[in-house]
Amino acid sequence: MSSALPVESIKSLSDQHPKPSDLHFQYGTAGFRTIANTLDSVLFRVGIIAALRSKRLDGRTIGVMVTASHNPEPASSYDDNGVKLVDPRGEMLEASWEVHATAISNAPTSDALIEVLQSLVQTAKIDLSKPANVVYARDTRPSGPALVAALEDGFKAMGATARDAGVTTTPILHYFVKAINTKGTKYSYGDDSEEGYFQKLSNAYKKLVAGKTPQPPLIVDCANGVGALAGENLKGYLGDALQLILENTSTTTPGALNNACGADYVKTSQKLPPSLANILQPGQRGCSLDGDADRLIYFYLDDRGVFHMLDGDKIAALVAAFIVELVKVAGLEDQIKVGVVQTAYANGASTKYLAERLPVKCVSTGVKHLHHAAERYNVGVYFEANGHGTVLFSQPTIDTLAEYQPSTPAQSRAVEHLVSLTELINQTVGDALSDMLFVEVVLSHKSYNGEEWDSLYVDLPNRLAKVSVPNRNAFKTEDAERRLVSPDGLQSKIDDLVNRYQGGRSFVRPSGTEDVVRVYAEAALRAQADELAMRVAGLVYDEAGGDPASRPKEFL
Ligand code: G16
């Protein structure tokens, strides 16, 4: 193996993937994400970055996922796509490499690219004689295959050994990365195949619900995305243990992905996907995945047919309380401390409910922030209100569970359940299918229907809005994104508005995945939450210097 960069092969392939001169790329909250037909050079370069990252980590396998998750896929050339890198334990790319990825993606020419790469090799002390191993996958977007071809050219340029995991969900790709890197060790995460993943989840689920009355069938809105394929697979492994009714499974219909369906639609519009209107019956549970199946939102219709949403906050409350109870029954309260991590989007009522029972921490939006904060607890439960989340069991906690000698049958059952939960939960990243099974386990143990789960606490009415602005980077935040530091003076105007609403709370932050600024507001009454959101959005619009002619009417 050569110990120098393969300059000629990088150059000649890079010339086939030129960077558009007028664009600036940024590795953000969810990797690179923008209009698909501008991403060719980015994908090629991500192939190179993945290979270098693997070499830097002694040849450990790095993951690459091509997806734009919940973003729309209009049937036009303006559909979004994206790509993100996964580090060896299945977690998001280390922050310092996000900066390298951004610099590499913006080198204007092939020669400039070589220069940036050379400098990275030096500063990051990369031993180029090490092997490079990568595993990659994509979601169902039509733009995926061409982008994957560019990515493969990046691997080829570096001589990396790359395994194609095909079309699969983001969480399955994360699972693969961890499974490959722990293979044959005492920390083996599971077999590095889809079969291994589905077996692991379904076996754990079956153990956890053994002896319980089977749950009524569950309607699953697959967002017309890759979750439909994984859901179909999972159904087969679950057999009679849980009946899944998969809806919105049109993975090949142009423009159908995330369109009026999926977790983001349900969370943002607070409505049932119209496609489920004649399917979901009063009293029945349903849930929505997003386009790459890493988010989950539940819902139900009450007796009067009124829609109720059970979002990431409600999931956190349900599962955290269940884990705390198991730890207590097991007699491990003193050794295993459970904590919860949320973001500013968490409903104020959920934070109050959780904080009365557990330590709760608020961090900035973005899985990496939540994941790292959750790692500080023995058992860290993290969920974003948008339905992205998971539970992390620290290695010492897993060891404690393995070594513990229960003294009663009840203790022993509780420990067995906790061990099964460590198998059921995809601890690498939020996983809609794994989370869905976890929720079903808790509902089954507690004999809760949707309404009983919902009654754990009452959500404060809230509203999300987004505002298109000429430059979202002009918006800078502090205090876990709860306050703006720029544009100058805007936060005090928001404070003045918020003070006029009973139970009012609102914040503004630039999105990391879309070219917009997001606005969140909550208040004691629904009409007030809506009004506050619209008024704050109006302030944002004015402050950002948007064209008055395009000022949205409802903001006036
Ligand atoms: C990604 C991130 C999430 C984040 C979401 C929206 O989700 O992984 O942590 O909440 O984007 O981020 P923003 O408000 O900055 O656009 P996904 O499901 O799109 O990968």
Side-chain angles (χ1 to χ4, degrees):
M1 178 134 340
S2 152
S3 56
L5 265 184
V7 172
E8 285 317 311
S9 112
I10 295 175
K11 261 196 193 165
S12 69
L13 282 160
S14 170
D15 288 344
Q16 295 171 32
H17 301 281
K19 177 190 174 287
S21 56
D22 52 338
L23 296 180
H24 178 85
F25 300 105
Q26 190 173 349
Y27 195 100
T29 324
F32 293 105
R33 195 175 288 183
T34 184
I35 295 165
N37 65 13
T38 65
L39 276 168
D40 180 77
S41 64
V42 171
L43 268 286
F44 169 71
R45 294 169 185 206
V46 165
I48 298 176
I49 298 164
L52 287 172
R53 179 84 182 135
S54 173
K55 284 176 183 287
R56 175 68 187 84
L57 298 174
D58 227 2
R60 282 196 286 164
T61 297
I62 296 297
V64 182
M65 183 71 200
V66 179
T67 179
S69 188
H70 68 281
N71 288 34
E73 180 240 315
S76 74
S77 57
Y78 291 103
D79 61 325
D80 284 334
N81 212 327
V83 60
K84 54 187 164 193
L85 288 144
V86 180
D87 261 356
R89 287 186 301 137
E91 75 279 37
M92 299 291 179
L93 179 69
E94 184 189 289
S96 64
W97 275 65
E98 292 184 3
V99 180
H100 301 321
T102 298
I104 290 169
S105 69
N106 288 305
T109 61
S110 298
D111 286 334
L113 171 64
I114 299 289
E115 262 179 52
V116 182
L117 294 173
Q118 306 271 31
S119 123
L120 172 64
V121 168
Q122 281 191 355
T123 51
K125 300 192 173 54
I126 300 172
D127 178 350
L128 291 167
S129 68
K130 297 282 181 182
N133 292 298
V134 183
V135 56
Y136 61 104
R138 65 177 175 92
D139 68 15
T140 53
R141 280 166 205 269
S143 53
L147 293 176
V148 162
L151 178 72
E152 287 167 337
D153 273 355
F155 300 147
K156 193 165 134 197
M158 288 296 296
T161 304
R163 168 174 157 188
D164 183 0
V167 174
T168 195
T169 71
T170 295
I172 292 180
L173 189 267
H174 283 251
Y175 166 90
F176 281 163
V177 173
K178 186 161 182 175
I180 292 169
N181 285 310
T182 55
K183 203 171 182 165
T185 72
K186 73 172 187 166
Y187 298 118
S188 168
Y189 195 58
D191 189 67
D192 59 330
S193 63
E194 284 211 345
E195 195 190 345
Y197 167 87
F198 289 117
Q199 285 281 9
K200 185 176 175 186
L201 262 58
S202 55
N203 288 346
Y205 180 78
K206 286 175 191 167
K207 273 194 226 162
L208 280 155
V209 298
K212 303 276 170 204
T213 314
Q215 286 287 89
L218 173 68
I219 307 276
V220 185
D221 158 21
C222 300
N224 294 315
V226 67
L229 312 177
E232 194 56 46
N233 254 325
L234 180 62
K235 260 177 89 161
Y237 285 88
L238 288 171
D240 296 337
L242 177 64
Q243 200 185 329
L244 303 176
I245 301 169
L246 305 182
E247 299 291 343
N248 295 326
T249 56
S250 307
T251 55
T252 53
T253 307
L257 179 66
N258 298 321
N259 186 14
C261 63
D264 197 53
Y265 172 85
V266 174
K267 175 65 185 163
T268 314
S269 64
Q270 305 187 19
K271 282 190 194 133
L272 183 69
S275 49
L276 299 186
N278 297 317
I279 293 173
L280 189 76
Q281 300 302 313
Q284 194 173 16
R285 302 157 348 283
C287 63
S288 288
L289 322 178
D290 72 340
D292 62 342
D294 62 0
R295 295 194 197 177
L296 177 72
I297 300 282
Y298 263 72
F299 43 79
Y300 68 97
L301 302 179
D302 66 20
D303 294 345
R304 292 171 298 135
V306 177
F307 170 80
H308 297 267
M309 178 175 72
L310 296 149
D311 63 3
D313 299 337
K314 284 267 154 112
I315 296 174
L318 182 79
V319 303
F322 184 66
I323 294 172
V324 167
E325 198 178 312
L326 285 178
V327 168
K328 195 169 167 192
V329 175
L332 284 164
E333 274 167 301
D334 293 338
Q335 291 155 73
I336 300 181
K337 300 286 178 209
V338 184
V340 177
V341 185
Q342 301 187 309
T343 71
Y345 288 112
N347 193 279
S350 81
T351 309
K352 183 167 179 291
Y353 173 88
L354 284 161
E356 281 163 6
R357 292 159 175 82
L358 294 160
V360 178
K361 190 164 170 46
C362 179
V363 299
S364 297
T365 295
V367 176
K368 62 179 179 208
H369 300 296
L370 288 118
H371 198 92
H372 287 150
E375 278 178 329
R376 297 199 194 105
Y377 297 112
N378 300 138
V379 180
V381 177
Y382 75 81
F383 271 91
E384 293 183 282
N386 64 23
H388 192 135
T390 187
V391 179
L392 305 181
F393 289 77
S394 70
Q395 192 55 50
T397 302
I398 293 176
D399 296 341
T400 303
L401 291 171
E403 288 152 17
Y404 185 58
Q405 302 286 333
S407 40
T408 66
Q411 283 191 344
S412 150
R413 255 195 319 277
V415 173
E416 275 167 26
H417 287 335
L418 284 166
V419 171
S420 296
L421 284 182
T422 66
E423 300 278 307
L424 180 73
I425 299 164
N426 185 341
Q427 295 183 53
T428 61
V429 78
D431 181 335
L433 293 176
S434 155
D435 291 340
M436 175 186 85
L437 294 179
F438 190 6
V439 166
E440 292 299 310
V441 164
V442 186
L443 297 182
S444 160
H445 276 247
K446 308 296 284 180
S447 304
Y448 281 169
N449 59 21
E451 199 155 359
E452 286 157 329
W453 169 16
D454 202 12
S455 68
L456 291 180
Y457 62 84
V458 180
D459 269 326
L460 279 168
N462 62 90
R463 182 62 63 195
L464 272 169
K466 56 182 172 184
V467 187
S468 295
V469 297
N471 176 19
R472 70 179 146 141
N473 294 324
F475 290 75
K476 304 231 181 303
T477 61
E478 63 178 4
D479 187 20
E481 300 181 319
R482 288 175 284 198
R483 298 190 64 77
L484 278 175
V485 287
S486 96
D488 208 22
L490 181 53
Q491 185 60 51
S492 64
K493 290 184 187 161
I494 296 172
D495 291 342
D496 287 347
L497 263 182
V498 166
N499 287 336
R500 292 188 221 159
Y501 293 81
Q502 194 199 340
R505 183 169 75 92
S506 180
F507 66 87
V508 168
R509 57 174 284 276
S511 162
T513 61
E514 288 176 73
D515 203 8
V516 296
V517 169
R518 299 201 196 280
V519 173
Y520 175 88
E522 64 187 30
L525 300 172
R526 152 72 39 224
Q528 297 213 321
D530 291 348
E531 188 182 291
L532 179 58
M534 287 308 137
R535 293 183 76 176
V536 173
L539 276 180
V540 168
Y541 192 83
D542 292 342
E543 198 64 44
D547 172 8
S550 67
R551 194 175 199 264
K553 294 281 175 293
E554 65 265 38
F555 294 167
L556 291 171

